[in-house]
Amino acid sequence: MSEHNHVVSKDGSVTMHRVNDALDRIEPGQKELILNNFEDFKSYLGKRIQLAQKIGLSDEQLAVAAEKIADYLAAYEEPRNSEEKLLLELWKAGNKEERHRLAHMLVKMVQH
């Protein structure tokens, strides 16, 4: 796959508008495995955050990416467990600033 299809370029720059495309490319079976269990979701997200940190993404860039992912999940995926339902309700209830703070908290949660 060429570099223009990736969210993160070789030089470390991030193209946030490609997040939805990247999420759409996840196979349905793989997506189900990730989202079916909250611990699996946290593990998957944690691994992706570790990779992003290794290439030098800042906490702010991670939070912006987490926001894009949360927007995508809220728009296109049904919650599969009580934790995801709670996150969706919090996401829907929050304004832009609150969602951004929640994204920071999600990043922080999976880093530990």
Side-chain angles (χ1 to χ4, degrees):
M1 184 180 301
S2 65
E3 183 178 354
H4 75 276
N5 290 326
H6 294 282
V7 174
V8 180
S9 300
K10 290 178 185 174
D11 66 2
S13 63
V14 181
T15 310
M16 290 301 171
H17 71 273
R18 292 190 185 141
V19 171
N20 284 9
D21 294 339
L23 291 168
D24 284 337
R25 287 194 304 267
I26 298 174
E27 295 289 327
Q30 170 88 14
K31 191 181 289 186
E32 190 61 37
L33 287 173
I34 295 165
L35 296 175
N36 196 43
N37 178 292
F38 192 65
E39 292 302 316
D40 292 340
F41 170 73
K42 287 187 344 184
S43 175
Y44 179 84
L45 188 57
K47 288 175 186 174
R48 296 305 173 264
I49 286 173
Q50 283 179 345
L51 287 173
Q53 287 174 320
K54 284 181 183 178
I55 62 168
L57 267 64
S58 69
D59 286 346
E60 186 61 26
Q61 289 173 308
L62 292 171
V64 169
E67 273 185 87
K68 296 286 186 186
I69 293 166
D71 282 339
Y72 176 93
L73 292 173
Y76 300 108
E77 297 292 334
E78 286 296 318
R80 290 163 174 83
N81 51 60
S82 59
E83 295 91 348
E84 289 175 7
K85 288 177 186 175
L86 175 60
L87 285 174
L88 178 60
E89 291 303 314
L90 289 170
W91 198 253
K92 292 188 323 189
N95 62 32
K96 184 168 178 52
E97 182 181 322
E98 291 165 331
R99 288 178 178 184
H100 186 70
R101 290 183 189 274
L102 182 56
H104 272 283
M105 291 170 53
L106 290 169
V107 168
K108 193 180 221 181
M109 175 182 70
V110 300
Q111 286 175 326
H112 301 306

